[in-house]
Amino acid sequence: MRVTVCELPHEPRALAAAWAALCEHTERHSSELVLLPELAMVDPLWEAEHFDVARWAAAEARSELWRHRLPELCVAHVVGTRPITIDDRRFNQGFFWSDSDELALLRRKFYLPDEPGGWKARRFDRGDAHFTAYDAGGWSFGLNICTELWALETYAAYAARGVPVILSPRATAAATTGKWLSVGVVAAVRSGAFSLSSNRVDPTGACGGVGWIIDPHGTIVARTTPEAPFATIDIDLSAAAAAKDDYPRYVFGGRRR
């Protein structure tokens, strides 16, 4: 399966240019799956400590407008997250879009930071504590949204269910890139799955880019940079199936070869 990770800005002019380049990239490389950053295209609502109703409504509206532009990527599937209000509660909701123009809603982010510059627990309600495996028609994936990459207890369940891909949209700072890459490696090795992540980027470094594709053995096989903000490679899902029986997975319940 040919997959694409990316780093995208949110400022309208920069985003317009980046989106055009991403669409050209995915079409040229015949991508099948694109992973977008966390809450791609919308303002960073979590950076302000105090809630702004109008800004939230604008973010929801902008996200919905961009949802209708996903066909421009010319891919079979897109995964990301978006702001959504349900019964007067505000969530960071995962979604799975297919080229039939159907939008399936996935789990809502459960683990939410609460600190200067990252007031997500004040901006969003807690979502789903259960980390399920999603069937995408011939393959499956888990969704760990940003901070949820640190939910290490989820990886054993993914391994047991045979999940070949863990998708992690992020909005993480440039200064913390090293530790995020480290946990991406842990996610891949413990679950025996490919770990894919895309990140937001802005000039301040509050979101620092670097998307990655890490194979089930923990090798970083692709990562984005400011000079190359999109990365596309073919991943062999059968490699993830085989990895379930290798160390360290077999120690925790797999079949030793």
Side-chain angles (χ1 to χ4, degrees):
M1 182 171 68
R2 187 162 294 181
V3 300
T4 296
V5 296
C6 61
E7 50 186 77
L8 287 178
H10 71 273
E11 188 277 324
R13 184 175 298 180
L15 176 59
W19 180 258
L22 177 60
C23 291
E24 189 278 331
H25 174 95
T26 54
E27 184 173 14
R28 176 163 46 88
H29 289 274
S30 300
S31 302
E32 298 171 78
L33 166 71
V34 171
L35 176 64
L36 295 176
E38 182 180 21
L39 299 167
M41 291 78 166
V42 306
D43 287 346
L45 303 166
W46 52 90
E47 290 184 354
E49 185 173 1
H50 301 292
F51 180 66
D52 184 326
V53 175
R55 195 177 182 201
W56 173 269
E60 281 191 295
R62 187 178 183 192
S63 183
E64 181 62 15
L65 286 173
W66 276 99
R67 169 255 190 279
H68 293 288
R69 295 189 61 178
L70 296 180
E72 297 173 16
L73 291 169
C74 298
V75 299
H77 303 300
V78 180
V79 173
T81 79
R82 64 180 193 165
I84 190 169
T85 303
I86 302 174
D87 296 329
D88 294 323
R89 301 178 68 200
R90 300 182 301 272
F91 296 104
N92 184 349
Q93 174 91 60
F95 68 82
F96 178 80
W97 177 90
S98 65
D99 55 6
S100 60
D101 206 28
E102 295 180 357
L103 190 77
L105 297 182
L106 308 177
R107 55 181 303 279
R108 294 166 289 194
K109 188 175 180 180
F110 181 76
Y111 291 108
L112 301 167
D114 190 37
E115 59 184 50
W119 301 111
K120 292 184 179 179
R122 304 187 187 193
R123 201 63 66 245
F124 300 95
D125 289 285
R126 269 192 161 189
D128 307 303
H130 180 63
F131 288 73
T132 189
Y134 294 100
D135 181 9
W139 60 287
S140 63
F141 64 93
L143 180 68
N144 289 54
I145 304 168
C146 199
T147 296
E148 295 178 335
L149 266 166
W150 297 98
L152 305 184
E153 69 278 5
T154 64
Y155 303 136
Y158 288 147
R161 294 172 189 157
V163 172
V165 181
I166 298 172
L167 302 177
S168 301
R170 296 177 9 258
T172 64
T176 61
T177 295
K179 65 182 180 183
W180 287 103
L181 278 166
S182 296
V183 79
V185 169
V186 170
V189 172
R190 178 62 187 91
S191 62
F194 288 90
S195 169
L196 276 61
S197 187
S198 293
N199 195 18
R200 297 168 62 104
V201 66
D202 63 58
T204 70
C207 289
V210 182
W212 68 65
I213 302 170
I214 301 171
D215 74 16
H217 302 289
T219 301
I220 300 171
V221 294
R223 60 177 285 180
T224 66
T225 66
E227 297 73 30
F230 321 125
T232 297
I233 67 166
D234 289 307
I235 62 172
D236 180 1
L237 298 183
S238 66
K244 299 293 188 291
D245 297 328
D246 287 343
Y247 183 87
R249 278 77 54 174
Y250 77 79
V251 176
F252 299 96
R255 300 184 306 274
R256 187 167 186 174
R257 291 181 174 277

